[in-house]
Amino acid sequence: SAVISQKPSRDICQRGTSLTIQCQVDSQVTMMFWYRQQPGQSLTLIATANQGSEATYESGFVIDKFPISRPNLTFSTLTVSNMSPEDSSIYLCSVETGEETQYFGPGTRLLVL
Amino acid sequence: AQRVTQPEKLLSVFKGAPVELKCNYSYSGSPELFWYVQYSRQRLQLLLRHISRESIKGFTADLNKGETSFHLKKPFAQEEDSAMYYCALSGISGNTPLVFGKGTRLSVIA
């Protein structure tokens, strides 16, 4: 398994601003994923982040809106840029371990006013 | 296209009654199927995966390729089983993201 932490755990932001969410893992992992869970909805994959390469974004998500960094094998950031109320959501990072199983961070609860 | 369907948004059962949370999937290759659970105020956590064929907290799930189903079952529900349950699938080769169903909220009534 893997122990994953996220910062911040929650935030309230004004529209038009940006927020960077950090994800830290206690072991080196190749694949990290960023998901969004909108109120009352299931999890939707935003992008896959590999160390040393550009993130791969899913349909409907673009790098200008959700830039991702993956500087090493234990850390990643997701930025939500130029926020609007529609970005209010829980953002989760997950990692895949050698057991081919994904483990999730506690999530970052974002409210955009 | 990959798709996971959980037809029930909410399932209420009495304590001690059997539970079955339904999950059907659509996938062109050989998928790996998972059940994740999210208890109140806790993070999403893995409950079980089909490849392990294990029983966790009394829950089991069998992959039925003919019916493309991976229903979650427990013979006797407990109050502490009340939670949100998500069925998910990924490609069997690993290092692929998960596709989630919409989730089923299980409420066990005392």
Side-chain angles (χ1 to χ4, degrees):
Chain A
S1 64
V3 177
I4 306 164
S5 60
Q6 285 184 233
K7 288 182 183 178
S9 59
R10 59 179 62 224
D11 208 342
I12 301 173
C13 301
Q14 297 297 319
R15 68 174 67 206
T17 63
S18 299
L19 176 72
T20 295
I21 302 167
Q22 299 178 7
C23 178
Q24 180 76 52
V25 190
D26 69 339
S27 57
Q28 294 184 339
V29 293
T30 304
M31 306 290 286
M32 293 181 82
F33 305 95
W34 286 97
Y35 290 84
R36 181 173 74 180
Q37 186 175 23
Q38 292 181 302
Q41 302 294 317
S42 186
L43 285 81
T44 302
L45 180 69
I46 297 171
T48 301
N50 291 341
Q51 194 268 334
S53 64
E54 293 285 331
T56 304
Y57 289 83
E58 297 299 301
S59 176
F61 298 96
V62 295
I63 189 170
D64 290 346
K65 175 68 176 177
F66 298 101
I68 288 171
S69 79
R70 184 78 202 275
N72 57 54
L73 291 172
T74 63
F75 186 78
S76 178
T77 67
L78 169 77
T79 299
V80 187
S81 303
N82 189 24
M83 288 183 284
S84 66
E86 292 71 35
D87 294 320
S88 298
S89 188
I90 298 173
Y91 292 85
L92 301 106
C93 71
S94 76
V95 303
E96 180 157 320
T97 67
E99 308 151 354
E100 295 180 356
T101 298
Q102 282 191 34
Y103 295 90
F104 285 81
T108 295
R109 189 178 294 270
L110 171 62
L111 176 63
V112 184
L113 302 177
Chain B
Q2 303 172 40
R3 189 169 61 244
V4 177
T5 303
Q6 292 180 251
E8 302 138 330
K9 203 169 182 177
L10 173 65
L11 182 64
S12 296
V13 301
F14 286 103
K15 178 181 172 182
V19 174
E20 183 179 53
L21 300 170
K22 290 186 167 52
C23 172
N24 288 90
Y25 67 91
S26 173
Y27 188 73
S28 57
S30 295
E32 281 203 54
L33 275 296
F34 304 84
W35 277 98
Y36 281 82
V37 60
Q38 190 165 29
Y39 301 102
S40 179
R41 299 181 183 278
Q42 294 187 28
R43 73 178 65 192
L44 193 66
Q45 56 187 280
L46 178 68
L47 180 62
L48 55 80
R49 49 192 293 213
H50 92 268
I51 214 164
S52 304
R53 299 188 64 80
E54 57 200 345
S55 173
I56 304 293
K57 299 184 179 182
F59 285 97
T60 59
D62 290 317
L63 180 61
N64 185 323
K65 292 185 179 180
E67 295 182 359
T68 59
S69 69
F70 189 56
H71 303 327
L72 184 68
K73 300 178 184 179
K74 184 170 183 176
F76 308 104
Q78 303 298 316
E79 287 180 76
E80 55 265 29
D81 296 328
S82 296
M84 195 74 182
Y85 291 81
Y86 294 96
C87 183
L89 72 79
S90 73
I92 205 162
S93 61
N95 284 335
T96 57
L98 290 166
V99 175
F100 282 86
K102 291 186 182 295
T104 298
R105 181 168 297 282
L106 175 64
S107 177
V108 181
I109 306 162

